[in-house]
Amino acid sequence: MRGCRRVVVRNRPGGWSGASALAVLAALACTPEQPTGDISGVELLTPEKGWSLHLPPFEVPPGTEVQDCYFFTMPDLNGGEDYFINRFKLGQRTGSHHLNVFRVKTIVHLDGEDGEVVRGGECRQSPNWADWPLVVNSQESSVDSPIVDWQLPPGVGQRFSPGEKIMVQSHYVNADLQVTPGAGEVRINFYLSQDAQAIEMGTLFATQQSIRVCRSNPNPTFEGTCSFPGSAEIHLAAMNGHFHSRGSTLKIYDWDGVTDQTPSADHQCYESASWDEPPMTLDLDVRVPAGGGVWWSCEYQWQAPAAGCADVDARDPQQAGDCCYTFGNSAEYSEHCNVFVYYWPKVDSDVFCN
Amino acid sequence: MTALVVCGCEPLEPEPDAGPADCFVGDPGQPPELQLVYRTAQGEMADLVDGGEVPLIIPPQGGHVVIIGARLRNVNVCGLQMSALLRDTCTNRILGREGRPIYVEKSADGWAVPIAPERLDNYVNINACPNLVSSRDVDQQPYQLELRAVNLNVDLLLTAQLEVTAVCGEPDTARQCECQCDADYVLGRDDCFTVDAGAELWRPDPDVPPGTCPDVVDVGPDTEP
């Protein structure tokens, strides 16, 4: 392919991709011919400052979606002891659909050693990471704003152990609805907190998978709730939502956990009308009473697929022949209704709602 | 005997604008009726009665859900939005709630029933287990089920409320279900799936007698100090 070069990146202590020493990642990278986001602002960190992770340039051929899962182990940044990360910087060259970082828990059919990557396949099957807590995510990769720089609230951090395994899932799209003008590439910085005992941040991940957006019923709305356990007040610090191109509005509210009614407008914390570059709301300090949680709604507007309904119908488990978009990984042919919430103090359990 | 459960209907009179003729199921001269139903583990629709059992089923998204719907009569069924929840009456907390459009069609008996009743799409999928906010086990304990059916096109609201007991409904995964529905279950704990030297690690622990509340309500894992 014209303009392509082979890039081989080795993980090395203190360098890009952090402290894991042996893994080798190889990819083809194409010289971009159109504007693509500049992520050089995600600088290389020394171990004293934190850890830098790099997914080197990879090709996203026209008409394809690339979803790969990269496995890493967290480096030792604190003499063998746990440490806190209190700032994240995530950079993605243009064309990213999502970037999720998870802590690896129950292994089903997806796993890898430090530095290994699983391309497609099991990396597209969400039951494989059903109980893997979210660390951080970003859906921003526009030419003008390809970097999310998030300083956590004062005194708050995410706790990690040396050697703890994480998975970085990158999804790029280069098709009708979303375009990757150059190569895909991701850089992530984890900044080491100087607080010996920070307040621990937790994450909540919720997904509604039994959804349908059909030609005959083109404006459906799906609602869900998810509550925090425990008897303490919770602070919501950041959040974002995720759907595909039929999504028209995604709203998230703080919720008292007992009322069966959409919370009032003054409890709305988040709204997205942008499926390909949804905002991430940072710097919140919304207090949720004990037993409360979040309430969300995903509204859709059915659209005719550019290439006809055959590929959409083929993915419909009901085989209704009604051009129904159902839950699935493909941004072109499927839909999502996902909610990501960052909160503190962390409860003694991961919080998922399916 | 089938119990008809209609706890609230607004308006009780037939709507003047009932919409297209094929949208109205039943007799416009009769009050709206709603009968709660659920989907069995075998994929069939069944009537739900006050005090009855409802199966916990593993959906594609994981966990264990109860699948609740409704049969309707004397209503406009075009544009129905339905929501349902399970409430712990010991704490008033909602365990799980979902809202979605529901598509029904007229059946031979004159009632509107979910299209493709063997599937999950035309029922409300209430996420029940694992659950971090229940004061008791989710299975084998009574909880309050509340359902709302709304048709904004014709200003219609139907509500229903009854007591149900969720039971692990799929024999092949019953132990996993009981374990994950335990009040003490913590996400990520893997002993629900683990067998050690032929013996299952998880054992059912005693819960309060069904229909009673714990003396001290302790809801799920607490926050860290």
Side-chain angles (χ1 to χ4, degrees):
Chain A
M1 177 176 289
R2 185 168 54 89
C4 291
R5 59 194 170 88
R6 175 168 289 276
V7 177
V8 179
V9 175
R10 292 182 185 275
N11 290 341
R12 54 190 168 82
W16 281 109
S17 298
S20 6
L22 299 177
V24 176
L25 300 175
L28 285 174
C30 299
T31 302
E33 298 174 346
Q34 301 175 43
T36 184
D38 177 7
I39 60 173
S40 60
V42 185
E43 75 280 17
L44 179 62
L45 298 180
T46 63
E48 293 73 28
K49 294 288 187 182
W51 184 44
S52 295
L53 192 156
H54 182 209
L55 310 185
F58 52 88
E59 187 181 17
V60 187
T64 68
E65 300 186 32
V66 173
Q67 180 159 315
D68 296 336
C69 292
Y70 299 78
F71 290 84
F72 298 95
T73 56
M74 294 298 291
D76 181 0
L77 299 177
N78 190 29
E81 301 295 319
D82 286 1
Y83 52 88
F84 289 93
I85 299 297
N86 68 351
R87 180 185 174 196
F88 296 96
K89 191 184 283 189
L90 305 97
Q92 301 181 91
R93 285 173 64 179
T94 303
S96 172
H97 182 63
H98 77 247
L99 172 68
N100 295 340
V101 182
F102 297 99
R103 299 175 195 262
V104 176
K105 295 288 186 177
T106 303
I107 302 299
V108 183
H109 301 298
L110 176 65
D111 195 10
E113 297 300 318
D114 185 19
E116 288 186 350
V117 55
V118 175
R119 301 191 185 280
E122 292 295 339
C123 183
R124 292 175 171 268
Q125 305 301 319
S126 62
N128 284 329
W129 57 89
D131 71 349
W132 295 9
L134 183 73
V135 172
V136 66
N137 78 309
S138 172
Q139 302 173 77
E140 298 187 23
S141 68
S142 66
V143 173
D144 295 331
S145 181
I147 296 174
V148 171
D149 188 353
W150 181 27
Q151 175 71 56
L152 275 52
V156 175
Q158 288 203 30
R159 178 193 291 270
F160 292 94
S161 301
E164 182 176 356
K165 188 185 287 189
I166 64 169
M167 184 269 274
V168 178
Q169 183 180 69
S170 167
H171 182 180
Y172 268 79
V173 179
N174 192 8
D176 293 332
L177 298 173
Q178 193 167 17
V179 175
T180 301
E185 184 180 3
V186 175
R187 295 179 188 269
I188 306 174
N189 276 358
F190 298 73
Y191 295 85
L192 183 63
S193 170
Q194 300 306 308
D195 294 327
Q197 284 301 324
I199 302 171
E200 191 169 356
M201 171 171 278
T203 57
L204 174 156
F205 174 66
T207 176
Q208 279 182 282
Q209 299 192 7
S210 184
I211 57 176
R212 295 174 70 79
V213 183
C214 302
R215 178 171 47 203
S216 63
N217 298 287
N219 302 112
T221 298
F222 296 86
E223 299 171 332
T225 61
C226 194
S227 299
F228 297 102
S231 54
E233 182 183 69
I234 294 293
H235 296 246
L236 306 181
M239 58 182 64
N240 60 20
H242 180 82
F243 50 25
H244 294 163
S245 65
R246 279 65 53 179
S248 53
T249 310
L250 194 157
K251 299 176 182 175
I252 307 174
Y253 304 80
D254 65 276
W255 176 57
D256 64 8
V258 297
T259 304
D260 181 20
Q261 201 163 26
T262 304
S264 57
D266 58 332
H267 288 276
Q268 185 177 332
C269 309
Y270 178 86
E271 180 166 343
S272 169
S274 172
W275 76 274
D276 53 350
E277 298 290 342
M280 179 163 180
T281 300
L282 304 172
D283 303 325
L284 291 170
D285 188 14
V286 176
R287 299 184 180 196
V288 175
V294 293
W295 173 301
W296 67 88
S297 64
C298 293
E299 301 174 29
Y300 300 90
Q301 172 63 58
W302 181 87
Q303 300 162 16
C309 288
D311 285 327
V312 174
D313 282 332
R315 287 169 166 78
D316 177 9
Q318 197 167 311
Q319 292 293 292
D322 192 17
C323 208
C324 295
Y325 298 90
T326 55
F327 177 86
N329 173 263
S330 168
E332 293 280 318
Y333 306 119
S334 304
E335 267 305 331
H336 270 163
C337 175
N338 293 346
V339 169
F340 308 88
V341 176
Y342 301 84
Y343 74 92
W344 58 274
K346 183 180 183 296
V347 298
D348 278 350
S349 175
D350 304 315
V351 183
F352 296 93
C353 287
N354 296 329
Chain B
M1 178 177 174
T2 300
L4 182 66
V5 183
V6 180
C7 299
C9 301
E10 299 174 8
L12 293 175
E13 298 300 321
E15 310 85 40
D17 177 14
D22 57 356
C23 283
F24 202 90
V25 176
D27 181 352
Q30 296 297 315
E33 293 180 88
L34 179 149
Q35 161 67 51
L36 288 173
V37 298
Y38 65 96
R39 179 188 175 279
T40 70
Q42 292 73 38
E44 298 165 345
M45 184 182 70
D47 288 339
L48 184 58
V49 297
D50 195 18
E53 294 186 344
V54 60
L56 290 154
I57 293 169
I58 299 178
Q61 61 265 37
H64 304 270
V65 301
V66 293
I67 311 293
I68 301 297
R71 300 194 302 137
L72 304 116
R73 190 164 63 177
N74 310 329
V75 296
N76 182 312
V77 298
C78 293
L80 275 180
Q81 183 83 12
M82 201 171 287
S83 65
L85 61 87
L86 285 176
R87 189 185 298 276
D88 183 351
T89 52
C90 293
T91 61
N92 201 38
R93 289 185 179 182
I94 293 173
L95 273 59
R97 180 197 182 278
E98 194 201 59
R100 61 172 51 239
I102 297 290
Y103 307 113
V104 296
E105 61 186 357
K106 186 177 180 180
S107 65
D109 64 3
W111 288 73
V113 300
I115 295 173
E118 73 282 3
R119 296 201 49 81
L120 308 181
D121 310 296
N122 285 321
Y123 300 85
V124 182
N125 295 205
I126 306 176
N127 55 317
C129 308
N131 200 290
L132 303 178
V133 298
S134 175
S135 63
R136 301 163 287 142
D137 292 352
V138 176
D139 66 312
Q140 303 290 351
Q141 291 278 358
Y143 287 89
Q144 187 165 291
L145 172 68
E146 301 171 19
L147 180 138
R148 295 162 60 94
V150 179
N151 189 333
L152 295 177
N153 296 333
V154 292
D155 207 16
L156 173 73
L157 168 65
L158 303 173
T159 62
Q161 176 178 311
L162 47 70
E163 183 182 279
V164 298
T165 297
V167 296
C168 292
E170 297 174 307
D172 291 346
T173 55
R175 291 286 290 185
Q176 173 193 332
C177 171
E178 292 166 7
C179 179
Q180 292 195 310
C181 291
D182 193 281
D184 300 325
Y185 177 74
V186 175
L187 279 166
R189 198 178 77 186
D190 60 3
D191 56 356
C192 290
F193 308 91
T194 305
V195 174
D196 182 20
E200 292 168 315
L201 291 179
W202 178 78
R203 300 265 180 225
D205 55 356
D207 200 11
V208 296
T212 65
C213 295
D215 292 334
V216 178
V217 175
D218 181 15
V219 181
D222 212 337
T223 50
E224 291 183 337

